[in-house]
Amino acid sequence: MSEKGPVQREMEELLSAAFPGASFTLSNDSAKHHGHAGDDGSGESHFSLAIEWAGFAGQSRVARQRAVNKALGDMPGERVHALAIRAKAPGE
């Protein structure tokens, strides 16, 4: 397994701060997209996030994704080309 890069570490720090007590896995999928659109050569352009947080209870899928994108600030769409988000509340 490769070492986490600075973008992934920063994303994990932001997620931990925004969603206290959340359980999440942030996977760097950039190698699967080498040479495709959005591959900037950094090795940190495409990610997948699976996050479970009690605060998501009662929120729609769109509201959850907006909360994640807000927590990450300018990263999605600026420094990260693609972020697949699977957000759920415990028990879902």
Side-chain angles (χ1 to χ4, degrees), residues 22-69:
S23 169
F24 66 86
T25 302
L26 182 64
S27 303
N28 184 341
D29 301 329
S30 300
K32 298 177 190 174
H33 299 276
H34 180 70
H36 298 169
D39 175 23
D40 61 6
S42 71
E44 291 191 283
S45 58
H46 294 72
F47 291 88
S48 295
L49 172 67
I51 182 168
E52 182 176 300
W53 185 54
F56 288 143
Q59 291 187 4
S60 70
R61 180 183 60 82
V62 171
R64 294 171 184 189
Q65 290 185 347
R66 285 180 179 154
V68 168
N69 284 322

Side-chain angles (χ1 to χ4, degrees), residues 77-92:
E78 294 291 327
R79 295 190 280 156
V80 173
H81 174 72
L83 175 63
I85 301 168
R86 289 186 325 270
K88 64 181 186 174
E92 292 184 343

